[in-house]
Amino acid sequence: MQKLSKITNYEKTYADFQWEIPEFFNFSKDVFDKWAEDKEKIAMIWVDDLGNEKKITYYELSQRSKKFANVLKNQGVKKGDIVFLAMPKIVQWWEVNLACFRLGAVVTPATITLTDKDIRYRLELSHASCVVCDEEFAKKVNLVKKVDKKLKTFIFVKDQGKINEDGWLNYETELSQASADFTAENTRSDDMCYLYFTSGTTGMPKMTVHTQASYPYCHMLTGKFMQEIEEDDLMFTITDTGWAKTAWGAFFNVWNLGAAAFVYNSKAFDPKKTLDFLQKYPITQFCAPPTVYRLLCLEDLAKCDFPVLKKCLSAGEPLNSEVFNVWKKNTGLPICEYYGQSETICLVGTFPTIEPRPGSMGKPAPGYYVSVIDQDGNELAAGLEGDIAVRVKPNRPPALFREYMNNKEMTDKVFFKDWYLTGDKAYKDEDGYFWFVGRSDDVIISSGYRIGPFEVESALQEHPAVAESAVVSSPDEIRGEVVKAFVILKNGYEGNKELVAELQEHVKSTTAPYKYPRKIEFVQSLPKTISGKTRRVELREKEWGKR
C-alpha cells in the first residue's frame, strides 16, 4: 500500500501528490488480513436499538469471510460474478463484502428499502448470479426470483430457520460447515470490484463500475487526508449499507488505516441516541449528512460533552451556514464539508490546514484536478458559475469509476473532451474554494436570472418554521419560470397565507431578492431517492404537467 502522511500543508500536499497504483491488488488479502494478524485488534464496535453491543476483531471478520468465500465458491460463484447484497447494518454485510473480494466476485449493494419493482430492475440489469440478504428482504426477492437464468444462488441471514420456499440457504448454517482455509484471488487493480446503482435523481439508476483500485485502494486518501484517521481512531458514519457512503465512512477509509468503525443498527434515526453515543463511546470522527446535523442541532447541544471527538464531517448534500454555526458554537468543532459521488472518492473538501468557510465545499482533493468549466470545456474565472468537472486527459485519475455498465451513451455523455462532468454546478472564489449551486438540470432561469435551488432552500432553512424544503422551477407566463418551494413545517406551525408572505420576505432578506419563491406549497413529505436525496425532478415534472 502507498504510504500517506497526514496533511500539514494542503498546498504542498496537493502539488506533490502522485498515485502509486500496483498492478495487482486485493483488499481482503493485501490489507485486511495484514491487520488481522493481531488477533485482538478491534475492527468494529456494533450496537443496536435493543442495547446489544459487540466488539468484533479483524481476525474474526477475516476468518468468517474466508468461510463465506468458500460457501460462495461451493455454490458456483466465481471471479467476475455479480453478488446482489441487501442487509441492514448487521455484521454479516461486511463479511460478505470481504468474502467477495477474496473470490474476485463483484458486489452490487442495495438498500433494504427497495420495492420488488426496484429489485427486479436491478437483478435484470446486473445479471447477478447470487443474492445474499436478510430474511425480510428475501421475502421481496421471492416475488421476482425468476428474472434471469444466471441467478441461481439465494442465501439469507437468520440465526436459525428457513424461508418457506425452495432454494434458499441459511447463512449461518452454511458458514458453520465451511472451512476457513481460502486463498484469495490475485486480482488486478483494474478488475471490477463494485457495481453501484446511482440514486437516479434525474432518471433510472445507472450501474457505476468501480475497480479494485478506484474504491478499495484509493479510498485510503479519503480516510487519511480528509477524515484524518489514525490507527487508534473510532469513526462513526451515519449511512445506509446500500449507499456508496458506507464504503467512504465505514469500510475502506477505516480499515485501510487499521482503525475501527462504529456501527449503529437501527430502523430509524434517533438524534438523542446519536448524541449519547458520541458521549459514551470513544468516537473520534463523526460523519453525517446535513439533514442529520439539522436534527441534532434541534437538541440541547449545550448540555452535551464529546470527550474525544476531534473531527466532524458532512457529505451527501450541501451544508448550509446556519447549521454549521450552531454546531460549532455548541461543540467547538467546525463541520468539514466534502464532496464526491458514487462515481468518485472525495473530489473536493475542507482538508486539514484549510480554514472552513461556512457553505463552501472546500478545495480539490490531492490526486485530482477539479475545476469549473463552461459548456465548451473551458475553465471559468473566479465567481463564474459552471459545471464541476474532473480533468481526465492526459492522465485519468485512478480514483474514478470506469464506466456506466452497458450504457455507452451515458458514459460518453459524462466524459466530455478532457473532462468528466459531475452533473453539478458551482463557482470558485478568488481563493480557490468551491461553492455549490445545484444539479445541472435543477438550476432555475427566471427573467434571465440563474437561480440555484440550494441557495433558496438554505435561506428557508434559517426560518424557525421550516423543517425541510425543496425548490424547483414552476411555469410562469411572464417570466418563463419562477421559483417554487415545497415546504415541510415544524410542529406547532400552520401553513397559511400569512406564513407564505413571511417566508417570502425572509428569503428576500436572507439572499438576493430575485431568488425568493413566488410560489410556496406546504406539504407533509418530499419524494426521495433510495439514498435519501430529494427528487426535485419529480416535483418539477408535476409542476410542468409531465406527470
Side-chain angles (χ1 to χ4, degrees), residues 37-106:
E37 291 173 4
D38 179 352
K39 294 185 178 181
E40 303 301 318
K41 189 171 182 59
I42 299 297
M44 180 187 295
I45 296 178
W46 180 94
V47 298
D48 67 8
D49 283 328
L50 301 176
N52 296 311
E53 176 186 312
K54 298 178 184 177
K55 291 184 178 180
I56 302 115
T57 63
Y58 278 88
Y59 180 76
E60 180 182 355
L61 288 172
S62 176
Q63 293 297 104
R64 283 175 60 86
S65 63
K66 287 176 182 177
K67 289 183 178 183
F68 193 67
N70 274 318
V71 171
L72 292 174
K73 185 176 182 179
N74 292 338
Q75 291 299 317
V77 179
K78 60 186 183 301
K79 182 179 179 181
D81 282 356
I82 293 170
V83 175
F84 185 87
L85 175 60
M87 294 182 195
K89 285 173 275 191
I90 55 178
V91 179
Q92 288 91 338
W93 187 90
W94 281 261
E95 294 171 357
V96 174
N97 276 270
L98 289 168
C100 288
F101 301 153
R102 297 184 188 284
L103 193 59
V106 179

Side-chain angles (χ1 to χ4, degrees), residues 323-352:
V323 173
F324 177 98
N325 292 330
V326 171
W327 183 265
K328 186 176 181 181
K329 178 183 177 181
N330 285 277
T331 67
L333 295 168
I335 301 172
C336 295
E337 187 170 359
Y338 64 114
Y339 163 82
Q341 303 177 301
S342 298
E343 291 88 341
T344 71
I345 64 167
C346 178
L347 285 176
V348 178
T350 308
F351 290 92

Side-chain angles (χ1 to χ4, degrees), residues 240-258:
D240 184 288
T241 51
W243 306 349
K245 188 66 179 66
T246 300
W248 289 53
F251 208 115
F252 303 119
N253 63 323
V254 289
W255 289 347
N256 266 323
L257 299 164

Side-chain angles (χ1 to χ4, degrees), residues 531-547:
S531 63
K533 297 177 183 177
T534 301
R535 277 184 54 86
R536 293 195 192 99
V537 63
E538 186 172 322
L539 296 171
R540 186 170 61 248
E541 287 176 348
K542 287 181 179 179
E543 282 300 298
W544 290 84
K546 296 179 180 180
R547 281 178 176 261

Side-chain angles (χ1 to χ4, degrees), residues 195 207-210 396 401-406 411 415:
L195 192 60
M207 294 186 294
T208 304
V209 174
H210 274 290
R396 181 185 173 114
F401 81 118
R402 190 169 72 192
E403 63 183 335
Y404 294 119
M405 180 175 272
N406 302 328
T411 303
F415 288 100

Side-chain angles (χ1 to χ4, degrees), residues 142-174:
N142 275 338
L143 300 175
V144 296
K145 275 178 67 174
K146 299 177 181 179
V147 296
D148 194 305
K149 290 182 179 179
K150 288 186 177 180
L151 184 56
K152 298 177 181 178
T153 305
F154 303 88
I155 303 171
F156 76 102
V157 175
K158 188 182 179 183
D159 289 340
Q160 57 186 355
K162 296 181 179 179
I163 297 174
N164 293 324
E165 178 133 345
D166 292 337
W168 284 94
L169 303 174
N170 182 293
Y171 184 98
E172 292 298 333
T173 300
E174 297 299 315

Side-chain angles (χ1 to χ4, degrees), residues 152-219:
K152 298 177 181 178
T153 305
F154 303 88
I155 303 171
F156 76 102
V157 175
K158 188 182 179 183
D159 289 340
Q160 57 186 355
K162 296 181 179 179
I163 297 174
N164 293 324
E165 178 133 345
D166 292 337
W168 284 94
L169 303 174
N170 182 293
Y171 184 98
E172 292 298 333
T173 300
E174 297 299 315
L175 208 69
S176 67
Q177 300 169 0
S179 168
D181 182 13
F182 188 90
T183 301
E185 287 283 338
N186 194 26
T187 48
R188 294 182 56 86
S189 292
D190 57 1
D191 282 346
M192 185 162 58
C193 169
Y194 264 129
L195 192 60
Y196 275 106
F197 280 82
T198 61
S199 58
T201 303
T202 58
M204 290 300 287
K206 306 176 292 292
M207 294 186 294
T208 304
V209 174
H210 274 290
T211 66
Q212 297 283 344
S214 65
Y215 251 38
Y217 188 92
C218 291
H219 260 308

